[in-house]
Amino acid sequence: MNWYKALLISLICLAGCNESRNTANQASPAPVAEASQSKVTLDAVRNELMKHNFGQANQLADQLTAASPSVVEAWVVAAEAKAANQNRLAALAALEQAFNHGLREVSLIEQSRYLADIRNGEEYRTLLHRFGLRTHTTQAAVGDVSIVQGGGVTEVRAGDVSVKLPD
């Protein structure tokens, strides 16, 4: 009888060991799932910005620029996230990286509501000047009326009249 009890206890323990081993094997796909979630996209960062989850957007933007440092839009969206987080210097640094990686069309920056305060700063104009870029700071809705700043000069145009003023 004791032999039978010992065998039964051994079988129960052995079955328990197999179940814990199977459970451990089933838990192993979790890191794979985490690895697939680490694939951050531009849309993921933008979605967090739209939800006003600025801290999360900033973290995702850091992951995005680390994973895709040569993607210009990644740096622009990172600048947006940093500006939304009230980190002006980090936003300017991200814009500088965007310019370093080939951004030459500033319309992405000019359309961003998160970068409005950055665009109005002297540091931004200095950055544009350093890369030889110009920006439309004010564009009137009517015809050929505009104010263009860049290269140390402000140019005011109205119809066929153009006036250039030093900054």
Side-chain angles (χ1 to χ4, degrees):
M1 193 66 112
N2 286 337
W3 180 81
Y4 181 72
K5 285 182 182 178
L7 180 63
L8 187 59
I9 291 172
S10 297
L11 286 174
I12 291 172
C13 288
L14 191 58
C17 290
N18 280 339
E19 277 192 26
S20 66
R21 189 177 297 147
N22 287 342
T23 305
N25 288 342
Q26 289 173 358
S28 66
V32 174
E34 287 176 5
S36 66
Q37 289 175 356
S38 68
K39 178 89 172 142
V40 180
T41 63
L42 290 166
D43 288 337
V45 179
R46 289 181 181 131
N47 286 337
E48 294 302 320
L49 284 170
M50 287 185 346
K51 294 178 195 174
H52 298 281
N53 294 333
F54 301 136
Q56 181 66 21
N58 193 37
Q59 289 177 354
L60 291 175
D62 287 344
Q63 292 174 15
L64 181 63
T65 55
S68 306
S70 62
V71 177
V72 170
E73 284 184 322
W75 290 107
V76 174
V77 80
E80 289 178 315
K82 292 176 184 327
N85 252 348
Q86 304 299 315
N87 193 340
R88 181 181 185 82
L89 293 177
L92 285 163
L95 288 177
E96 182 175 18
Q97 287 299 317
F99 293 134
N100 282 332
H101 287 93
L103 179 65
R104 294 297 175 261
E105 178 59 46
V106 294
S107 62
L108 285 174
I109 298 166
E110 291 181 348
Q111 294 169 2
S112 172
R113 66 181 176 161
Y114 301 107
L115 297 174
D117 288 340
I118 301 292
R119 287 190 308 264
N120 294 329
E122 183 62 33
E123 302 98 337
Y124 177 69
R125 286 190 291 278
T126 302
L127 189 60
L128 289 177
H129 179 68
R130 196 170 86 211
F131 284 93
L133 302 172
R134 297 170 61 118
T135 181
H136 292 278
T137 54
T138 305
Q139 175 102 24
V142 181
D144 292 58
V145 178
S146 65
I147 300 173
V148 179
Q149 283 185 310
V153 175
T154 300
E155 183 178 358
V156 181
R157 291 187 217 138
D160 60 348
V161 176
S162 175
V163 177
K164 291 183 181 182
L165 304 168
D167 281 341

